[in-house]
C-alpha cells in the first residue's frame, strides 16, 4: 500500500510541476511560438476512433462445458465426467522393504471439480491426500501391440496447490499373465512411464521405457535425454497443462506440453543407457606390461647440480638493516593479567586448580610501537634456491597411456526396432507426493494424431478458453504482477507518470517554443496513445517488458531534451533582458550629454534644435 500511495503522490507532484511550467511559458515571444494543439488533436482523434472500435467489439462468449467425445479409434479414454471411479481399481498392495506404517497404498482418490474452475461441470481425478502411497489403475479397451501404428499418450495435470516433492506421471502396464491391478505397486512391470516429476528444484518430464534384452531376456530402463526447455512454469503456475507423448514405428518420439514440442529424438540415439551395447569392449583380463613407460617427460640423467647451489640456505633471513623503533618497551609484556577480574565465588581450587586472572592486552603498549623482546623482521633470502632437481627432458621410451585391448562384446546385440516393446493392457498412476489435490483429467491413448488433437481441443482447449475469458484486464494484470514484484511500481511510474507529465505540459500550455522536439513528441504521443488504447502502454499479453523499457528510454530522452530547451531559452531571455537594459542606460547617458551641450552652445551654432528634439 505504501508503494501505491507513493505512486499517487508522485503523479500529483508531477502535475503541479507541469502547471508551474505552464505559467512560466506564457511570456514567450510571438515570433518563436507554434501552435501544437491541432497536431495533438490528430492523436486524440485517432484514440477516440480506436476506442469506438474497441467498445463496439462483441463481448467474449461464455464458455460452456461439454464432455469431450473421441473422434476415432481409441485404446483408452477417460474424462471422469460421470463423477465416479467406475472402471478404475484402487490398489490394496504394500510396498516391500518399507515400514508398515507407510507401506500401504492407502492414499485417497476422488472425482471432483477443480478448485478454481472456470468451467463448471468439468470433473477430474484428484489425488486428495499427501505423504501417502497412491495407486490406481484401469484396463485398456484392448491391449496395444507395438507394430505398425504410432502410440499417443495424452492427459492433463493441474498442481492446484503447487508441488513440493512428488510426481504426476502415468505408467502403461505390461501385458503379462501375472498382472493383478488389485495389487498394483511400484514393482509391477510396466512398458512406458511418462509425465512430470519434481523434487526440490529439479523439474523433470519423464519418458522411460523398459527394453527387453534379446539375449538374456532381462529388462532395462531407458531414459530419454532431458529437455532443453525450462519446465518450472508448468509446476508453479497452478494452471492445467496438457502432456503428450508420441511414439512412432520409425523409433522417433516427441514430447509435447500444451501442444508445443519440448523434447524429441530417436529411441536408438537419444536414450540413456543406449538401447544397443557397443560391439567391442575392453578386455577385462588384459594387464599392462611391467616395462610399459607412460612418462612423457623424465629427469635429465646427465644433469649435474652446480657447485654453488646451496640446498641448506633458508628461505627467510633476518633483516640486518632493520632498526628497533624508538619507544619500544622491552621490559613490558604484550599481555597482562586483568586487574579488574575477580575469582568466581564457586571456584574450587581442589577441583578447578589454581585460579588465574584472564589475560588482556597491556594498556602501556597501546601508545608504544611495541612491547616485549624486539626481533628483526624476516625477509626473503636472495641466495635461497631450494632443493636442486634435474631439468625434465622428453622420454625417448615413452609409449603413451596404456589401455586394455578391445575384444568383441560377448553381450552384443543389435535391436534396430526398439519401438516394438512389450504390449500394454492397462494404465495406472502409482505416486507419492508431499502435496495434495493434484488434478488429472482427460486421459486418451490412441494411434492417430488428429484424434488426440480433437480430444485436446474439446477438453484442455475449453479450459484454456475459459481461463482466457476470465483473465483480468491489462490494468488488473499489471496490479497483480506488481503485488508479486514490487519493483514493477518503478516501471509503472516511469511509464505512466512521464507521459502524463508531458501531455499536461504540452497540451495545457497552448503555445510553446518551436523546436524539432515538438514534432517528435507529437508523433510519439499519437503512437503512444494508440498503444495505450489497444494494448495498455505498449503492453500486450504476455507482458512485453522490452517494449516498456524502450518507451521509457524514449520518454526520458524527450524529458531531458525538453528540460535542456527550457534552460537554454531561459538563458537567452535573460541575455536579451540584460542587453535591453544596457541599451536603455546608454540612451539615457547619451541624451543627458546632448542636453548639456545644447545649453552651452548659442542658437546659431545649434540651428537644428537638438535640445528640442530631446
Amino acid at each position: 500500500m505504501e508503494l501505491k500511495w507513493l505512486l499517487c503522490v508522485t503523479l500529483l507532484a508531477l502535475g503541479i510541476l507541469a502547471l508551474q511550467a505552464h505559467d512560466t511559458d506564457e511570456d514567450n515571444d510571438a515570433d518563436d511560438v507554434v501552435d501544437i494543439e491541432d497536431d495533438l488533436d490528430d492523436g486524440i482523434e485517432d484514440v477516440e476512433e480506436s476506442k469506438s472500435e474497441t467498445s463496439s467489439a462483441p463481448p467474449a462468449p461464455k464458455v460452456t462445458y461439454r464432455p469431450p467425445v473421441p473422434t476415432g479409434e481409441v485404446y483408452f479414454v477417460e474424462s471422469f465426467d460421470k463423477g465416479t471411479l467406475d472402471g478404475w481399481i484402487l490398489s490394496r498392495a504394500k510396498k516391500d522393504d518399507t515400514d508398515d506404517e507407510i507401506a500401504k497404498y492407502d492414499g485417497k482418490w476422488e472425482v471432483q471439480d477443480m478448485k478454481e474452475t472456470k468451467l463448471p461441470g468439468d470433473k477430474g481425478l484428484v489425488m486428495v491426500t499427501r505423504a501417502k502411497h497412491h495407486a490406481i489403475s484401469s484396463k485398456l479397451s484392448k491391449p496395444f501391440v507395438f507394430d505398425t501404428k504410432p502410440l499417443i499418450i495424452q492427459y492433463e495435470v493441474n498442481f492446484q496447490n503447487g508441488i513440493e516433492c512428488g510426481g504426476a506421471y502415468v505408467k502403461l502396464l505390461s501385458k503379462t499373465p501375472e498382472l493383478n491391478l488389485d495389487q498394483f505397486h511400484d514393482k509391477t512391470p510396466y512398458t512406458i512411464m511418462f509425465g512430470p516429476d519434481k523434487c526440490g528444484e529439479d523439474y523433470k518430464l519423464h519418458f522411460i521405457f523398459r527394453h527387453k534384452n534379446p539375449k538374456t531376456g532381462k529388462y532395462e530402463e531407458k531414459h530419454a535425454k532431458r529437455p532443453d526447455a525450462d519446465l518450472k512454469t508448468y509446476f508453479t503456475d497452478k494452471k492445467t497443462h496438457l502432456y503428450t507423448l508420441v511414439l512412432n514405428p520409425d523409433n522417433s518420439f516427441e514430447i509435447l506440453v500444451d501442444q508445443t514440442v519440448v523434447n524429441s529424438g530417436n529411441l536408438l540415439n537419444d536414450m540413456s543407457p543406449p538401447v544397443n551395447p557397443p560391439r567391442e569392449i575392453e578386455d577385462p583380463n588384459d594387464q599392462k606390461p611391467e616395462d610399459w613407460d607412460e612418462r612423457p617427460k623424465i629427469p635429465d640423467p646427465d644433469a649435474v647440480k652446480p657447485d654453488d647451489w646451496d640446498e641448506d640456505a633458508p628461505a627467510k633471513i633476518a633483516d640486518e638493516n632493520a632498526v628497533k623503533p624508538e619507544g619500544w618497551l622491552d621490559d613490558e609484556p604484550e599481555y597482562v593479567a586483568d586487574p579488574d577480574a575477580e575469582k568466581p565465588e564457586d571456584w574450587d581450587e581442589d577441583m578447578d586448580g589454581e585460579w588465574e586472572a584472564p589475560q588482556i592486552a597491556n594498556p602501556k603498549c597501546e601508545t608504544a610501537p611495541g612491547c616485549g623482546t624486539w626481533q628483526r623482521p624476516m625477509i626473503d633470502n636472495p641466495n635461497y634456491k631450494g632443493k636442486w632437481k634435474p631439468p625434465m627432458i622428453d622420454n625417448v621410451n615413452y609409449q603413451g597411456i596404456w589401455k586394455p585391448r578391445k575384444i568383441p562384446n560377448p553381450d552384443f546385440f543389435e535391436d534396430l526396432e526398439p519401438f516394438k516393446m512389450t504390449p500394454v493392457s492397462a494404465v495406472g498412476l502409482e505416486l507419492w507426493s508431499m502435496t495434495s489435490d493434484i488434478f488429472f483429467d482427460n486421459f486418451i491413448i490412441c494411434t492417430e494424431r488428429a484424434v488426440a488433437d480433437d480430444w485436446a481441443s474439446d477438453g484442455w482447449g475449453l479450459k484454456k478458453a475459459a481461463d482466457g475469458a476470465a483473465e483480468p484486464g491489462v490494468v488488473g494484470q499489471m496490479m497483480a504482477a506488481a503485488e508479486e514484484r514490487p519493483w514493477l511500481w518503478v516501471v509503472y511510474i516511469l511509464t505512466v507518470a512521464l507521459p502524463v507529465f508531458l501531455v499536461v505540459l504540452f497540451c495545457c500550455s497552448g503555445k510553446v517554443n518551436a523546436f524539432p522536439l515538438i514534432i517528435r513528441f507529437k508523433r510519439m504521443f499519437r503512437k503512444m496513445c494508440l498503444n495505450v488504447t489497444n494494448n495498455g502502454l505498449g503492453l500486450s499479453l504476455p507482458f512485453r517488458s522490452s517494449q516498456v523499457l524502450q518507451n521509457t528510454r524514449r520518454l526520458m530522452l524527450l524529458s531531458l531534451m525538453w528540460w535542456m530547451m527550457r534552460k537554454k531559452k531561459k538563458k537567452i531571455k535573460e541575455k536579451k533582458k540584460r542587453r535591453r537594459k544596457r541599451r536603455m542606460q546608454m540612451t539615457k547617458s547619451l541624451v543627458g550629454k546632448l542636453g548639456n551641450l545644447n545649453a552651452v552652445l548659442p542658437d546659431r551654432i545649434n540651428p537644428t534644435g537638438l535640445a528640442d528634439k530631446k
Side-chain angles (χ1 to χ4, degrees), residues 534-545:
N534 297 329
N535 298 325
L537 291 174
L539 300 178
S540 63
L541 302 178
F543 192 97
R544 292 191 290 188
S545 58

Side-chain angles (χ1 to χ4, degrees), residues 9 40 71 111 128 130 135 258 260 266 311 315 398 427 429 504 540:
V9 172
L40 292 178
T71 58
V111 175
V128 179
R130 62 182 294 275
D258 298 343
T260 300
N266 191 283
E311 292 184 346
Y398 175 66
V427 59
L429 297 167
V504 171
S540 63

Side-chain angles (χ1 to χ4, degrees), residues 108-182:
K108 292 184 179 180
W109 299 90
E110 292 181 7
V111 175
Q112 301 176 355
D113 287 340
M114 204 183 307
K115 283 185 176 179
E116 299 179 2
T117 182
K118 309 293 190 305
L119 208 58
D122 181 18
K123 298 182 181 296
L125 177 65
V126 178
M127 193 174 75
V128 179
T129 49
R130 62 182 294 275
K132 287 181 177 292
H133 294 291
H134 303 75
I136 191 171
S137 56
S138 180
K139 285 278 189 181
L140 303 187
S141 59
K142 58 182 176 180
F144 182 87
V145 179
F146 296 85
D147 46 22
T148 60
K149 293 183 179 180
L151 170 69
I152 299 175
I153 310 166
Q154 185 171 275
Y155 69 107
E156 301 169 14
V157 177
N158 187 315
F159 297 105
Q160 300 183 94
N161 299 331
I163 182 72
E164 295 178 11
C165 184
Y169 42 81
V170 63
K171 290 181 177 180
L172 297 190
L173 305 182
S174 303
K175 180 185 177 183
T176 60
E178 298 82 15
L179 180 60
N180 181 7
L181 299 185
D182 185 64

